[in-house]
Amino acid sequence: MDTPPGTHESRNQTSLMEFILLGFGNVSELQVLLFLLFLVIYIMTMAGNILIVALVVADQHLHTPMYFFLGNLSCLETCYTSTILPRMLASLLTGDRTISVSGCFMQLYCFGVLACSECCLLAAMSYDRYLAICKPLHYVSLMNDRFCFQLAAGSWISGFVAASIIVSWISMLMFCGPNEIDHFLCEFNVVIKLSCSDTHSMVLVAFLLSSLFTLPPFLLTLTSYISIISTILRIPSTTGRKKAFSTCSSHLMVVTIFYGTLIVVYLLPDINTFRSMTKVFSVFYTLFTPLVNPLIYSLRNKEVKEALRKVVRKLGSFTAVQRIQANAFRPK
């Protein structure tokens, strides 16, 4: 028997015009503190990542595979943070927690593209470091410009494909209410629970895609760093060994936090213990890693420090010239 138009079953997602992002709760005393905290995180993340992109583009000495991938990662992190934090800051400042259905789907799409792309890009970066340290004689021939471009492009394209499949499917679901999202962003696992359609097939496909874009890159990254560390341990120089091990261990720590929290949120069973911690885990892979990646991967490197010094010297020289010219043409 056909369902008459206008009944509960016939409503599509347009019958629900907006969602409400509950964020971090209704504790008014924390709103100002959270706003200032996330504002500082946003400014520092944007400044650090934009600086890395600018240095990689401007300095010829940084036109190498490693910095090509780091520039891509910083560009990705800039977009990643801007997908989430401006909306969160506006909500904390104004108290308006509503987001349109189309706006929610757009945020979910951008977040999905960037998260999947970052998983693949981190694996590509770890493979680059593996070749550089473990296969130095073959590095130049293997990691050529064409292969670097293919790895980076493949990472971005994979993210677009995966997110397009999921979000296109979600946009065809029916959302009949409730409309409260217990999160600070439109995250797949939370949004899907609000649908009154049958979502079993979508959840299965999303799980398979999440597994595909999380576990293989993580295992490749982990294997690469284990090989790198074993090679480092064979370095005769104690000083060189300590320096290399310190750098690789910090890389591995950040990568493990990123992949580990993604695995907990998207791949482990949806039980109460993990459900209550979802927002905490999400903070790590959406806010923490974009903040520390410029420091861990780039700003500690000698080449980046030297490029930054050059920029500072050029700015200082330019300012001095401008001051001299201004004094020369000042009427006496």
Side-chain angles (χ1 to χ4, degrees), residues 101-162:
V101 172
S102 58
C104 183
F105 290 162
M106 180 57 68
Q107 185 185 61
L108 178 59
Y109 176 72
C110 294
F111 170 74
V113 169
L114 297 166
C116 291
S117 299
E118 181 162 1
C119 287
C120 298
L121 193 58
L122 287 173
M125 291 169 62
S126 67
Y127 182 64
D128 169 70
R129 291 297 83 204
Y130 163 76
L131 290 179
I133 295 173
C134 302
K135 308 286 185 182
L137 298 179
H138 303 285
Y139 179 71
V140 175
S141 60
L142 291 174
M143 195 58 69
N144 52 53
D145 291 345
R146 182 180 177 184
F147 188 52
C148 289
F149 177 79
Q150 288 173 342
L151 287 175
S155 299
W156 286 94
I157 292 170
S158 298
F160 278 107
V161 171

Side-chain angles (χ1 to χ4, degrees), residues 193 264 268-279 281:
K193 292 175 183 176
V264 168
L268 293 186
D270 186 20
I271 57 179
N272 290 331
T273 305
F274 293 134
R275 192 181 305 131
S276 60
M277 296 292 290
T278 297
K279 280 186 276 190
F281 289 131

Side-chain angles (χ1 to χ4, degrees), residues 205-265:
V205 172
F207 176 79
L208 293 174
L209 285 173
S210 299
S211 302
L212 179 65
F213 282 94
T214 305
L215 292 179
F218 175 61
L219 293 175
L220 176 61
T221 303
L222 192 60
T223 304
S224 297
Y225 276 111
I226 290 173
S227 300
I228 289 169
I229 290 171
S230 65
T231 302
I232 289 171
L233 292 175
R234 293 196 294 269
I235 296 176
S237 167
T238 305
T239 305
R241 187 165 60 242
K242 284 183 178 179
K243 183 179 178 181
F245 186 77
S246 172
T247 301
C248 286
S249 60
S250 59
H251 289 189
L252 186 58
M253 180 186 68
V254 174
V255 164
T256 303
I257 290 172
F258 176 76
Y259 283 119
T261 51
L262 277 178
I263 289 170
V264 168
V265 172

Side-chain angles (χ1 to χ4, degrees), residues 4-17:
T7 62
H8 178 80
E9 289 80 3
S10 69
R11 296 176 195 167
N12 58 21
Q13 69 270 20
T14 58
S15 64
L16 202 63
M17 300 302 295

